[in-house]
Amino acid sequence: MTRVATPTRVATPARDATKRTTRCRWLTRPRDDDARRRVATNAGNGRFIVGGNWKCNGTRASVKTLIEELNAGELRDVDVVVAPPFLFLDEATETLKAPYEVAAQNCWVEPGLVDPTHHYDSDTGAFTGEVSAEMLEDLRIPWVILGHSERRNLFNESNEFVGKKVAHARFHGLSVIVCVGETLEERESGKTMDVIFAQLKAVATEIDDKEHSSWGSQVVIAYEPIWAIGTGKVATPEQVQDVHAKIRQWLADNVSEEVAKATRIQYGGSVNAGNCSELARLSDIDGFLVGGASLKGDDFVKICNTSAVHYKAIGRKPRSGSVVTYSFDEDGELLETK
């Protein structure tokens, strides 16, 4: 049954991505020179961002240990967002130190709800087991992950449903990491970009209006080839760069050049401490969305600090204003940060 929403509130002003209000601050290497020194041509201009999706993992003891490991690491020139299970959101928010921020792994919107304002506020709470954007807003959780392949495939979330959830989250001031990606069958049949463009269109249709015009800075796109998530398989650097560049071009063609430049595009798919440096050299990779490796504090910190590798590869200086010295080996691997 289709129900039309009745607007009941004034939109929360969109958060400025540079002014957080939360209580805490989450391969095979080609040997040729061109592969090691990829030059940015149409790369984005956003700050490198790494997300850690803890998924349905953790106990009170293990979460406490992980947070201690993360707090012990030193991060420079990178935005970091971690997404604990809902039960541990409050603990993470209270105990993680800057620059970590916290994300929820999902939020709810009512299926079948029609709302020409694209706010999708429900007037009932009769959704057992769900968590609303209003609740996350009240807890001052600044981020949410939406459209993850596990939600799309296991819970049958359609592109349109994901688009509505993104719009609803943005209306309540949440920044969003929205996931896109193809199955192995879709890649092998040459449908990768058709699938991803349809996923992007469903989001742009919902939030590409005047009220949400800032979405380029507050909606992060995470490209996660489904066949590489948790499998140990990683897309080649050439495959990743190709998809990321086409995503950015789609944004330029269908939204605006400004949004294409501002939108940060992460790669997710078995990213770990061993392959992150090579991937970070790609001009259109603006960060990572990390699964299993985000549960290992030391490894996750190393992945986050490949921001230095990225800035060096594209010839761009970090924006922090702090004086940071990076040391690299002859292959461009990050050795240390001072």
Side-chain angles (χ1 to χ4, degrees), residues 19 30 55 69 73 87 99 118 124 127 135 140 142 148 174 178 184 204 221 223 234 258 311 334 337:
K19 297 179 181 179
K55 303 189 178 185
E69 292 174 351
L87 287 173
H118 305 283
T124 173
F127 304 112
M135 293 175 179
R140 300 181 68 184
H148 194 280
L174 302 176
V178 57
L184 183 59
I221 296 171
Y223 168 55
V234 182
E258 182 181 5
Y311 295 136
L334 179 66
T337 303

Side-chain angles (χ1 to χ4, degrees), residues 117-159:
T117 69
H118 305 283
H119 298 162
Y120 299 106
D121 274 342
S122 297
D123 57 7
T124 173
F127 304 112
T128 301
E130 296 297 339
V131 173
S132 70
E134 292 92 329
M135 293 175 179
L136 298 179
E137 181 185 30
D138 183 57
L139 288 175
R140 300 181 68 184
I141 302 298
W143 287 86
V144 62
I145 298 174
L146 297 173
H148 194 280
S149 63
E150 291 158 10
R151 299 293 312 181
R152 294 179 187 266
N153 296 333
L154 298 178
F155 297 94
N156 299 313
E157 293 189 358
S158 67
N159 293 343

Side-chain angles (χ1 to χ4, degrees), residues 206-273:
E206 293 291 347
I207 63 175
D208 186 24
D209 57 26
K210 184 176 181 180
E211 180 180 334
H212 301 297
S213 60
S214 63
W215 77 287
S217 61
Q218 294 172 303
V219 176
V220 173
I221 296 171
Y223 168 55
E224 294 195 302
I226 297 171
W227 48 272
I229 299 175
T231 64
K233 297 179 181 179
V234 182
T236 66
E238 290 73 20
Q239 288 173 320
V240 176
Q241 172 60 26
D242 180 62
V243 171
H244 280 227
K246 288 176 179 176
I247 288 174
R248 202 177 300 283
Q249 189 60 52
W250 187 93
L251 292 172
D253 293 341
N254 293 275
V255 184
S256 72
E257 289 280 356
E258 182 181 5
V259 166
K261 287 287 187 181
T263 299
R264 294 178 287 182
I265 308 173
Q266 297 175 315
Y267 173 70
S270 296
V271 175
N272 57 50

Side-chain angles (χ1 to χ4, degrees), residues 100-130:
Y100 291 103
E101 293 190 305
V102 176
Q105 295 179 16
N106 184 42
C107 69
W108 177 251
V109 75
E110 183 179 350
L113 185 63
V114 176
D115 186 355
T117 69
H118 305 283
H119 298 162
Y120 299 106
D121 274 342
S122 297
D123 57 7
T124 173
F127 304 112
T128 301
E130 296 297 339

Side-chain angles (χ1 to χ4, degrees), residues 166-203:
V166 173
H168 182 56
R170 287 295 304 117
F171 176 61
H172 285 280
L174 302 176
S175 295
V176 179
I177 297 174
V178 57
C179 303
V180 300
E182 83 284 9
T183 65
L184 183 59
E185 180 181 1
E186 289 164 343
R187 170 164 282 277
E188 291 179 340
S189 62
K191 297 179 180 178
T192 293
M193 298 318 302
D194 291 339
V195 170
I196 292 173
F197 289 163
Q199 293 168 338
L200 292 174
K201 182 179 179 180
V203 174

